[in-house]
Amino acid sequence: MELAVKLASIFFTMILVDNYVLAKFLGICPFLGVSKKLDSAVGMSLAVTFVMVMATAATWPIYKLILVPAGAENTARDLSYLQTIVFILIIAILVQLLENFLKKFIPALYKALGVYLPLITTNCTILGVTILNLDNGYDFIESIVCAAGAGIGFLVAMVLFSGVRRKVEQAIVPSCFKGLPITLVAAAMTSLSFMGFGGIVDAIFKV
Amino acid sequence: MSPILLAIVIVTVIGLIGAVILVAASIFMYVPVDERVEKITAVLAGANCGACGCAGCADYAKSIVEDGNAVNKCTPGGAKTAAAIAEIMGVEAGASVSMKAVVACSGTCGKTSKRYEFEGLQSCQAVKGLYGGDGMCKFGCLGYGDCTRACAFDAIHILDGIAKVDREKCVGCGACAAACPNSVISLVPEHKRKPVVLCQNKDKGADTRKACTAGCIGCMKCAKACPKEAITVENNLAYIDQDKCVGCQLCVKECPVGIIHVPANE
């Protein structure tokens, strides 16, 4: 029970409080680039969620077993400085492998994810979630839950913002604000609204 | 082993293992790609306009080969492209029906007027958001040129208050139809004799008359004149079924407000 509460707390914290896009400001590029249409926003988010979980499942053991084996912290054997380059390598290999796999065995999903799958190979949210999981000292299960939460949080942010954006596009804005500037202002306000969730998850799960 | 050497070895080994896995995967999970797809992509117009209903030219090529999509759907390419694809696929091209955009509104400046002066953002989308548009008629062309901006072929312009299609330049991609917030623009098969009702007003006849002198009042005269029963009047608006129409143009002469025209002869 305690474990379930803890995992739920991590999951919802990632969605509402520590939302990767709106609170940690990672993945702003797809957030602004792909949020124009609702269906592409959802497609992209699902692909991100999928890859996040897979990447976490692959990088966590590699970090704990190869880069920093038990007892090697702060010794000469501590290769944690390699995590960025190794993680990028692993995520790139993983996405490529995943694409091949989906193409062969689940063509429907491959079609649905389409161009977004290769697009997120070097996305900073993916790298971010793998690294921050380790920084937070999560164990394997917690890391996976955290990655799934981060993905769903990304989905929530994308869907919300694609709605905001549709309103913004129809609004009459001063010509100097047209296009990207007003989109960024709108993004800032959406982000501010998420600040209101601060502490809510801690209060609910009493952690 | 020195830490530097270890670091190099680890990254290299991970990279090598990854490379081996990927090579193995690409052999093991090889999906044969039909070479016809690439050939067809090469002969398509390459405008990625989406007129065929696919996401782009490459997507259309794929759907021809894999899903048996029709070969004559590329409107910018026209009959020539259809023939080229047919040759690659080894099938008959079939008649490539050329589609052209038609603006179903006749409310030029003299025929209708404005309800209010709009001074905001000069876009149909914006003016539509303010009490449904500034024209007396809520169904007609708004005349702020969203279609002009959407057209990649410079084929549609605002002339005398309403959009006018340059039929020479129009390739029938439908970008303007998608951009029009009033759905005034539609794609109609190009035909030299078949007429179209150039109005969208669904109000009752008396209300239509107040708003615009060139609006369909739903008088049924065209429907009665039609020998093939191709014209139906629904919601006070006449509609001509292009499949049933034989191009006799009796309705054109009969229309009291003169809004039935053959677009090809304009």
Side-chain angles (χ1 to χ4, degrees):
Chain A
M1 189 60 203
E2 207 171 293
L3 180 72
V5 169
K6 192 170 184 209
L7 293 183
S9 151
I10 290 175
F11 186 73
F12 288 107
T13 305
M14 290 317 290
I15 296 175
L16 295 175
V17 185
D18 282 344
N19 190 298
Y20 263 71
V21 180
L22 298 173
K24 288 201 161 86
F25 309 116
L26 287 171
I28 298 295
C29 164
F31 180 61
L32 294 176
V34 200
S35 60
K36 268 189 187 158
K37 276 191 194 152
L38 184 64
D39 48 350
S40 54
V42 172
M44 175 81 185
S45 311
L46 291 180
V48 165
T49 313
F50 193 45
V51 174
M52 261 180 186
V53 175
M54 297 296 284
T56 306
T59 53
W60 197 92
I62 285 182
Y63 183 88
K64 290 288 181 189
L65 296 178
I66 299 175
L67 293 185
V68 190
E73 288 89 359
N74 300 323
T75 62
R77 179 65 182 79
D78 187 347
L79 296 175
S80 55
Y81 62 89
L82 277 181
Q83 71 173 11
T84 310
I85 189 164
V86 169
F87 282 13
I88 288 178
L89 196 62
I90 291 168
I91 292 169
I93 293 167
L94 189 76
V95 172
Q96 191 65 49
L97 198 63
L98 206 61
E99 202 184 342
N100 274 340
F101 181 82
L102 292 181
K103 211 172 177 178
K104 178 82 180 175
F105 296 109
I106 323 175
L109 187 62
Y110 175 75
K111 254 189 186 166
L113 294 180
V115 71
Y116 303 117
L117 200 55
L119 208 68
I120 53 184
T121 311
T122 50
N123 193 298
C124 59
T125 42
I126 313 281
L127 188 63
V129 79
T130 54
I131 290 179
L132 287 172
N133 273 336
L134 292 162
D135 285 357
N136 289 341
Y138 288 154
D139 65 23
F140 188 69
I141 304 290
E142 287 169 351
S143 295
I144 297 288
V145 170
C146 174
I152 302 297
F154 188 78
L155 173 79
V156 169
M158 292 285 272
V159 169
L160 281 180
F161 195 57
S162 74
V164 170
R165 229 175 143 158
R166 246 186 44 197
K167 283 276 175 197
V168 169
E169 256 169 35
Q170 287 177 7
I172 298 165
V173 285
S175 52
C176 56
F177 272 114
K178 250 182 238 170
L180 200 56
I182 193 69
T183 310
L184 286 172
V185 172
M189 286 177 186
T190 316
S191 161
L192 269 181
S193 72
F194 261 65
M195 297 293 159
F197 286 120
I200 188 171
V201 173
D202 290 356
I204 289 173
F205 292 100
K206 307 259 186 291
V207 222
Chain B
M1 204 189 298
S2 88
I4 296 177
L5 205 62
L6 186 65
I8 294 171
V9 167
I10 285 182
V11 176
T12 315
V13 167
I14 290 179
L16 276 176
I17 293 174
V20 169
I21 291 176
L22 283 186
V23 169
S26 68
I27 295 168
F28 175 60
M29 294 190 263
Y30 176 69
V31 179
V33 179
D34 202 319
E35 59 178 19
R36 292 179 297 181
V37 174
E38 272 173 36
K39 274 191 192 165
I40 293 174
T41 314
V43 297
L44 285 172
N48 287 320
C49 64
C52 48
C54 301
C57 293
D59 201 35
Y60 175 49
K62 214 170 138 197
S63 81
I64 292 174
V65 174
E66 287 173 11
D67 311 327
N69 206 335
V71 297
N72 56 3
K73 285 194 180 166
C74 183
T75 30
K80 220 171 111 190
T81 305
I85 302 171
E87 203 187 310
I88 297 169
M89 291 297 291
V91 294
E92 289 288 316
S96 164
V97 183
S98 163
M99 302 288 271
K100 301 270 180 193
V102 168
V103 181
C105 179
S106 309
T108 47
C109 288
K111 305 234 169 77
T112 184
S113 50
K114 300 229 178 278
R115 281 189 293 153
Y116 60 85
E117 276 306 316
F118 179 70
E119 289 181 349
L121 183 71
Q122 295 293 300
S123 120
C124 305
Q125 190 87 41
V127 74
K128 173 84 179 161
L130 195 62
Y131 305 110
D134 62 351
M136 287 296 284
C137 169
K138 285 188 182 175
F139 300 91
C141 175
L142 294 155
Y144 286 89
D146 279 10
C147 46
T148 310
R149 285 183 284 277
C151 183
F153 305 94
D154 191 36
I156 188 164
H157 298 280
I158 303 299
L159 218 68
D160 200 14
I162 61 167
K164 180 120 183 75
V165 179
D166 184 335
R167 304 189 70 81
E168 293 279 299
K169 288 183 184 165
C170 180
V171 299
C173 69
C176 50
C180 181
N182 259 359
S183 306
V184 169
I185 309 174
S186 56
L187 293 180
V188 177
E190 178 82 329
H191 198 282
K192 286 223 154 44
R193 295 190 53 81
K194 291 183 184 177
V196 177
V197 179
L198 298 183
C199 182
Q200 289 280 321
N201 196 313
K202 296 187 182 73
D203 278 340
K204 291 215 172 81
D207 296 336
T208 307
R209 231 188 244 288
K210 273 180 219 154
C212 178
T213 58
C216 179
I217 49 176
C219 67
M220 308 281 292
K221 275 190 179 170
C222 49
K224 282 172 198 151
C226 184
K228 293 284 172 191
E229 293 177 346
I231 306 183
T232 45
V233 178
E234 239 176 84
N235 297 325
N236 308 304
L237 178 65
Y239 167 75
I240 303 176
D241 189 333
Q242 297 284 319
D243 290 336
K244 287 187 191 163
C245 178
V246 289
C248 68
Q249 299 185 13
L250 286 174
C251 49
V252 177
K253 293 183 199 97
E254 204 62 41
C255 182
V257 284
I259 51 162
I260 304 183
H261 290 277
V262 181
N265 302 342
E266 299 275 297

